[in-house]
Amino acid sequence: FPQVCSPFLQTARCYARPVRRKKKDFPSHLDDLPPTMLKKDYANVPVINSVDDVVRRLLSLEMASQKEKMKIKTQQLVEKVRRSPNDNGSFEVQVATLTAKIRAYEEHLQRHPKDKNNRRRMLMDVDRRKKLLAYLRRVRYDTFENTCKELGIQYSLPPLYSRRVTKRWLVKKAFCLKVFQEAQKLKAPQRLKQRKEWQARARAAREEAAQCEG
């Protein structure tokens, strides 16, 4: 019969405690928003000045969510570049809106670097903003410079086209050059014959002109 060990004789298993990593505090582009600022939906309400401090605190950014803070930040960036108070769809306004979204994605990816879905969305917004800035740079350069300056965007020119050199590409290029050279060799006699005909015609025309003058 198998011998059953007493629970008092069994070795104690000491499991290591899981190490809790401290979360890094990354700087946010929403840090400059004062907590006493009211939310976007209650900023222009005339009765807001007569409410007590508790209600005002509940309606301020101190108790606001990330989405409500993003609305305020986007509005601030739009106000810097919009052409008129009623401008809501110009290229500058679109660039400002995309800039706010891109910065929010960057902060999210700093905390969650494996979030591929949001990384893909950020890259799509970056490409869309590049197209808008390229159009502004081509059509209205002064507006392009002002937009980049006000929003703090560092625009870099797109790189020149460069093809990745592979073994297959090198073999294909050498084959095309060889075919071109062989085709030139085949066409050489025909070109020489054609050149001689042109020279004969030119010589005959000069002799005819000399006879007419004489």
Side-chain angles (χ1 to χ4, degrees):
F1 297 97
Q3 186 177 1
V4 180
C5 296
S6 174
F8 299 101
L9 300 178
Q10 294 179 359
T11 57
R13 298 179 180 178
C14 299
Y15 294 101
R17 294 181 179 180
V19 179
R20 295 182 179 179
R21 297 180 180 178
K22 295 182 179 180
K23 295 183 179 180
K24 297 181 180 179
D25 295 332
F26 297 100
S28 174
H29 72 293
L30 303 176
D31 293 339
D32 58 343
L33 295 177
T36 56
M37 181 183 292
L38 295 175
K39 299 178 184 178
K40 183 180 179 181
D41 299 334
Y42 306 101
N44 298 324
V45 177
V47 194
I48 199 65
N49 296 323
S50 59
V51 298
D52 56 352
D53 295 339
V54 178
V55 177
R56 190 177 182 87
R57 186 179 177 186
L58 290 173
L59 301 180
S60 65
L61 295 183
E62 185 179 357
M63 302 293 179
S65 61
Q66 187 81 2
K67 185 177 180 180
E68 292 171 337
K69 292 181 180 179
M70 275 295 300
K71 289 182 180 179
I72 300 292
K73 193 63 181 179
T74 305
Q75 185 180 10
Q76 288 182 355
L77 295 180
V78 168
E79 290 292 338
K80 292 181 179 180
V81 297
R82 66 175 16 168
R83 303 176 187 176
S84 62
N86 298 326
D87 179 19
N88 295 320
S90 62
F91 287 96
E92 303 91 280
V93 172
Q94 296 180 42
V95 169
T97 306
L98 290 173
T99 302
K101 292 175 63 177
I102 289 169
R103 290 174 181 171
Y105 282 133
E106 288 176 348
E107 295 174 7
H108 176 78
L109 290 173
Q110 285 179 346
R111 297 181 178 87
H112 310 281
K114 295 184 179 180
D115 192 350
K116 296 182 180 180
N117 191 14
N118 280 324
R119 185 178 298 277
R120 176 176 171 273
R121 293 178 181 176
M122 184 189 71
L123 293 176
M124 291 172 62
D125 288 341
V126 168
D127 291 340
R128 195 175 297 116
R129 187 179 68 175
K130 280 184 179 179
K131 292 179 181 178
L132 294 173
L133 288 175
Y135 175 80
L136 279 178
R137 185 175 182 272
R138 187 173 64 252
V139 178
R140 303 176 61 185
Y141 191 80
D142 53 344
T143 307
F144 162 78
E145 279 191 334
N146 181 53
T147 303
C148 292
K149 181 180 178 181
E150 292 293 336
L151 301 179
I153 301 174
Q154 186 176 1
Y155 181 80
S156 57
L157 294 174
L160 298 175
Y161 175 76
S162 59
R163 185 167 186 170
R164 189 167 61 93
V165 179
T166 59
K167 186 177 180 180
R168 181 178 179 181
W169 182 78
L170 290 174
V171 172
K172 185 177 180 181
K173 183 179 180 181
F175 177 74
C176 292
L177 289 175
K178 188 175 181 180
V179 170
F180 176 75
Q181 292 172 1
E182 294 295 331
Q184 293 296 104
K185 290 180 182 179
L186 294 176
K187 294 179 181 179
Q190 184 178 359
R191 290 182 177 178
L192 182 60
K193 182 180 178 181
Q194 192 175 10
R195 191 180 298 113
K196 289 181 178 179
E197 292 179 356
W198 290 343
Q199 292 176 357
R201 292 176 186 173
R203 193 181 304 112
R206 286 197 299 269
E207 292 177 357
E208 186 178 355
Q211 291 177 3
C212 291
E213 290 178 359

